[in-house]
Amino acid sequence: MIQTYYAYLLLAGGYVLGLALPQVGADIWLVPAVPYVLVGLSMLHLRRFSRWYCGVEAASAVCAALALAQGLTDTPAVATLLVLVACAADVLLCLAMAAQRRRYGLGAAAEYALLVLAVVFGLGAAALLLMGTQLLAGFARVGGTMVAFDPLTVINTVGLVFRIGMIADVFRLQREALRHEAEAQK
């Protein structure tokens, strides 16, 4: 039961560190790999709940290696590949958590919303890296007024909402998993 608690704590810690990373320690080449390492470590225990967690573990290891390569080389190709693999890891994690949630009888509506946010964030960030923000910039009509549309702001907002949603969802699932483990031990 304690192992499950710490596994979910590592998972949430990886996402919290991923949120804080652009503001703290982004200049050190080793730091961007740490959130992926934390997520991968949490999967060592959580993979007993669902096979999807094994995929998240592998994708997190690849992300950590790509983050280290990005820190050392700073090439757009590595950054794009990192974003795509991280998107795959987020999608796999959403699927793993949905499978675990069904096991506990919880609804998966929030999980599907997080899945859509993960896909939009990952693919949008990869498109921005590949095409550049100037090519995707446009205008949106709000009421009768044309408003400048900044895709970078939209993608960053979607990513922020996704990460905050994942943190909240991880703690909710942690509570349910611990409750079910405690009932099973009685």
Side-chain angles (χ1 to χ4, degrees):
M1 192 160 88
I2 296 296
Q3 291 175 345
T4 303
Y5 174 78
Y6 287 120
Y8 281 112
L9 204 55
L10 277 174
L11 179 60
Y15 274 96
V16 167
L17 190 57
L19 276 174
L21 192 61
Q23 287 76 30
V24 202
D27 298 337
I28 304 168
W29 65 273
L30 187 62
V31 172
V34 174
Y36 302 114
V37 170
L38 290 177
V39 170
L41 286 174
S42 70
M43 296 302 118
L44 290 174
H45 180 72
L46 294 178
R47 65 182 171 188
R48 69 184 174 98
F49 292 118
S50 173
R51 282 187 290 168
W52 290 104
Y53 286 121
C54 293
V56 177
E57 184 179 356
S60 294
V62 171
C63 285
L66 287 171
L68 288 174
Q70 175 63 23
L72 294 173
T73 62
D74 199 27
T75 59
V78 174
T80 304
L81 190 58
L82 174 62
V83 166
L84 290 175
V85 175
C87 173
D90 289 338
V91 168
L92 286 172
L93 184 60
C94 288
L95 293 172
M97 291 173 69
Q100 190 175 1
R101 185 174 289 106
R102 281 191 297 275
R103 175 197 243 179
Y104 298 142
L106 297 173
E111 191 61 39
Y112 292 123
L114 287 172
L115 181 66
V116 168
L117 286 172
V119 170
V120 168
F121 172 62
L123 295 179
L128 284 176
L129 285 171
L130 288 173
M131 293 189 271
T133 57
Q134 291 79 17
L135 296 175
L136 294 176
F139 293 94
R141 185 172 296 277
V142 178
T145 311
M146 293 298 283
V147 178
F149 174 71
D150 182 20
L152 187 61
T153 303
V154 172
I155 295 301
N156 284 337
T157 304
V158 168
L160 181 67
V161 169
F162 168 73
R163 286 188 178 103
I164 290 171
M166 281 301 288
I167 292 166
D169 207 39
V170 163
F171 283 125
R172 188 178 80 158
L173 195 57
Q174 177 190 37
R175 184 184 65 229
E176 287 299 314
L178 291 174
R179 188 173 64 80
H180 281 279
E181 281 187 21
E183 289 174 0
Q185 287 181 354
K186 289 182 181 179

